[in-house]
Amino acid sequence: MVINFAAGPAKLPEEVLQEVQKNLINCNGSGISVMEMSHRSSNYAKIHDLAIADLRELLNIPKNYKVLLMQGGGTGQFAAVAMNLIGSTGTADYVITGSWSSKAAKEAAQYGKVNAVLPKFDKYVDVPRQTKWKLDPNASYVYYCDNETVEGVEFDFIPEVGNVPLACDMSSNFLSRPFDVSKFGLIFAGAQKNIGPAGVTIIIVREDLIGKHLKLTPSVLNFELMDKNNSLLNTPPTFGIYVMGLVLQWIKRNGGVAGMSQLANAKSKLIYDIINSSNGFYYCPVESRVRSHMNVPFRIGSAAGNDALEKEFLAKAEAEGMIQLKGHRSVGGIRASIYNAVTLDETQKLAKLMLAFYENNKN
């Protein structure tokens, strides 16, 4: 048995994959695969509309918010967010707490002025409290990344930014914990972490923010055009949306977002408790209050890591069927991504290995 701890594309629920397999060549009695369906057909419309309806239900999305299903992943939205929102004043605030918010800020700087709310850090291990933020009252929006996949930093609060729209990248913790959609102007999430295969990007945007795009905005990144066409302006990633819809139904069957949150808390606590009780053998650099429930980075042997021990641990993990645990190349070490589809039993197997490895190498 293989346990996939990848940061993305990530593990999908096994029962969802079984459903996909069963219906791959005859989707919902249509006689053809969903990959062959016209995106204008009534068969596909049911899949498309149900996925959006289920998402609205899971997150209790207010009626004055639009749900768009787009392409281009998070990187595409780095540009799309700026192109669609920055035109109000020509400037935007960016809260940079890791690699992905940093990349988003660089992308946005091509389309307007970007104000870095925080000073540049050598390492991203914390989310400074808002008393240290330098917000621009003239900003068109305030942008942040709720969970930094590379560094394992996750916000423990929703920023309060007054009347300025709050824009958030939730790609790697979307549907893993409840939140109030009405506190945001815009939320986006690439599907490939928690809700489906790579290729689909969900955008939840307040309707009063639509229609303010820059003239240079390409049609495929234009929120107004996507909204007017029910996300069918061009051929959408139909297969990805189909699988995403099945994942949303799986989440509903398993306690909804609250159920996912309870599971995330249990899994992450299991791993962090081992790290905290290892007398420094395992080391997580992230401040405890903002440690991610989705991506747990750690080193072995010291804060800088012991290459030999880490290679040995990764080899043992792979021998036991636990794959893709190597940390991101920019930070090294080990990273366990425990998204919604990773079960508690699977996480316990990792915990068992960590405990055994500690006992065998602590001296």
Side-chain angles (χ1 to χ4, degrees):
M1 178 183 175
V2 171
I3 305 173
N4 184 4
F5 289 102
K11 176 181 168 62
L12 287 163
E14 187 173 337
E15 64 188 79
V16 167
L17 291 175
Q18 290 172 345
E19 179 74 9
V20 172
Q21 183 183 47
K22 185 176 73 173
N23 289 297
L24 189 61
I25 62 174
N26 183 7
C27 183
N28 298 337
S30 65
I32 60 173
S33 172
V34 67
M35 291 183 283
E36 302 171 286
M37 278 183 192
S38 167
H39 60 294
R40 308 290 181 190
S41 68
S42 59
N43 281 329
Y44 176 71
K46 293 174 185 176
I47 293 169
H48 189 95
D49 294 343
L50 180 59
I52 292 174
D54 283 341
L55 183 62
R56 283 190 170 278
E57 179 184 342
L58 281 165
L59 290 176
N60 193 26
I61 298 174
K63 291 183 179 179
N64 64 322
Y65 284 74
K66 303 291 188 178
V67 176
L68 310 177
L69 304 179
M70 296 173 62
Q71 298 175 69
T75 302
Q77 288 306 307
F78 295 166
V81 169
M83 288 177 170
N84 283 275
L85 301 186
I86 207 166
S88 296
T89 66
T91 186
D93 282 341
Y94 275 71
V95 187
I96 301 174
T97 55
S99 299
W100 292 112
S101 51
S102 177
K103 290 180 179 180
K106 289 177 182 177
E107 184 72 30
Q110 298 184 79
Y111 310 108
K113 180 184 176 183
V114 166
N115 170 50
V117 168
L118 297 168
K120 184 174 175 59
F121 300 110
D122 292 331
K123 293 183 178 180
Y124 299 110
V125 296
D126 197 6
V127 177
R129 304 298 93 174
Q130 281 199 242
T131 53
K132 297 182 179 181
W133 294 16
K134 294 183 179 180
L135 295 169
D136 180 357
N138 190 49
S140 295
Y141 61 92
V142 178
Y143 179 104
Y144 76 106
C145 178
D146 202 37
N147 185 84
E148 292 281 2
T149 320
V150 172
E151 292 84 5
V153 175
E154 183 173 28
F155 271 69
D156 60 330
F157 64 94
I158 295 176
E160 295 289 343
V161 293
N163 294 323
V164 179
L166 187 61
C168 184
D169 173 2
M170 288 191 184
S171 292
S172 57
N173 65 350
F174 192 62
L175 295 182
S176 71
R177 62 181 182 179
F179 63 93
D180 184 353
V181 173
S182 69
K183 291 184 178 292
F184 297 85
L186 178 144
I187 298 157
F188 73 84
Q192 68 274 13
K193 312 288 188 177
N194 262 329
I195 47 176
V200 186
T201 310
I202 292 171
I203 294 89
I204 303 170
V205 57
R206 205 172 65 213
E207 59 186 11
D208 64 292
L209 298 176
I210 294 175
K212 299 181 179 181
H213 49 274
L214 301 174
K215 289 184 178 180
L216 54 76
T217 306
S219 297
V220 293
L221 297 181
N222 186 315
F223 294 162
E224 184 177 36
L225 286 176
M226 282 293 171
D227 176 43
K228 286 181 177 178
N229 289 274
N230 190 29
S231 301
L232 298 169
L233 176 71
N234 61 322
T235 306
T238 52
F239 179 73
I241 291 169
Y242 165 68
V243 179
M244 183 189 78
L246 296 180
V247 174
L248 297 177
Q249 292 168 28
W250 174 83
I251 291 173
K252 289 173 66 176
R253 292 194 301 271
N254 286 275
V257 178
M260 296 299 105
S261 180
Q262 185 177 11
L263 182 61
N265 290 337
K267 292 184 297 186
S268 57
K269 184 178 187 302
L270 191 61
I271 302 303
Y272 286 124
D273 281 354
I274 292 171
I275 293 170
N276 294 340
S277 61
S278 70
N279 298 313
F281 180 79
Y282 294 116
Y283 174 80
C284 176
V286 182
E287 293 292 329
S288 59
R289 66 186 178 189
V290 293
R291 286 181 174 178
S292 172
H293 294 80
M294 296 285 101
N295 312 101
V296 182
F298 60 94
R299 304 303 303 255
I300 297 178
S302 68
N306 180 311
D307 285 344
L309 281 176
E310 288 176 352
K311 286 179 181 178
E312 184 182 349
F313 179 90
L314 290 169
K316 286 184 178 297
E318 190 157 346
E320 294 184 24
M322 290 176 274
I323 65 169
Q324 304 203 74
L325 280 163
K326 189 174 182 179
H328 191 273
R329 61 187 178 277
S330 65
V331 295
I334 296 161
R335 174 178 55 177
S337 293
I338 44 178
Y339 296 120
N340 287 350
V342 176
T343 68
L344 183 58
D345 284 347
E346 290 171 333
T347 309
Q348 287 170 335
K349 289 182 180 179
L350 174 60
K352 183 179 178 181
L353 172 63
M354 290 176 69
L355 286 171
F357 196 81
Y358 166 67
E359 289 297 330
N360 290 333
N361 294 278
K362 62 183 178 181
N363 297 323

